[in-house]
Tab-separated table of all heavy atoms in Angstrom:
chain	number	residue	atom	x	y	z
A	347	ASN	N	24.140	-14.717	10.005
A	347	ASN	CA	24.733	-15.953	10.505
A	347	ASN	C	23.785	-16.939	11.088
A	347	ASN	O	24.131	-18.019	11.569
A	347	ASN	CB	25.831	-15.576	11.594
A	347	ASN	CG	26.903	-14.739	11.002
A	347	ASN	OD1	27.453	-15.068	9.881
A	347	ASN	ND2	27.414	-13.744	11.695
A	359	LEU	N	11.216	-11.947	11.508
A	359	LEU	CA	11.818	-10.942	10.697
A	359	LEU	C	12.540	-9.862	11.447
A	359	LEU	O	13.559	-9.245	11.015
A	359	LEU	CB	10.684	-10.288	9.782
A	359	LEU	CG	11.153	-9.327	8.741
A	359	LEU	CD1	12.147	-9.933	7.653
A	359	LEU	CD2	9.968	-8.646	8.021
A	393	LEU	N	-15.207	-8.741	-2.540
A	393	LEU	CA	-15.581	-8.292	-3.805
A	393	LEU	C	-17.044	-7.825	-3.750
A	393	LEU	O	-17.490	-6.809	-4.422
A	393	LEU	CB	-15.444	-9.359	-4.818
A	393	LEU	CG	-14.009	-9.669	-5.232
A	393	LEU	CD1	-13.951	-10.694	-6.354
A	393	LEU	CD2	-13.194	-8.435	-5.605
A	446	TRP	N	-7.407	-2.287	4.226
A	446	TRP	CA	-6.240	-2.451	5.013
A	446	TRP	C	-6.529	-3.619	6.045
A	446	TRP	O	-7.506	-3.593	6.806
A	446	TRP	CB	-5.869	-1.218	5.698
A	446	TRP	CG	-4.646	-1.313	6.499
A	446	TRP	CD1	-3.378	-1.211	6.014
A	446	TRP	CD2	-4.467	-1.491	7.941
A	446	TRP	NE1	-2.427	-1.284	7.100
A	446	TRP	CE2	-3.079	-1.447	8.268
A	446	TRP	CE3	-5.409	-1.672	8.956
A	446	TRP	CZ2	-2.610	-1.728	9.525
A	446	TRP	CZ3	-4.941	-1.819	10.279
A	446	TRP	CH2	-3.507	-1.824	10.603
A	506	CYS	N	-7.690	4.143	14.418
A	506	CYS	CA	-8.367	3.008	13.903
A	506	CYS	C	-7.610	1.815	14.436
A	506	CYS	O	-6.732	1.158	13.743
A	506	CYS	CB	-8.411	3.011	12.407
A	506	CYS	SG	-9.325	4.420	11.702
A	563	ASP	N	-20.088	-11.869	-17.210
A	563	ASP	CA	-19.751	-13.279	-17.233
A	563	ASP	C	-19.787	-13.751	-15.725
A	563	ASP	O	-18.798	-13.574	-15.041
A	563	ASP	CB	-18.408	-13.529	-17.905
A	563	ASP	CG	-18.081	-15.033	-17.873
A	563	ASP	OD1	-18.852	-15.838	-17.378
A	563	ASP	OD2	-17.023	-15.337	-18.397
Side-chain angles (χ1 to χ4, degrees):
N347 297 317
L359 185 62
L393 292 185
W446 185 79
C506 298
D563 182 3

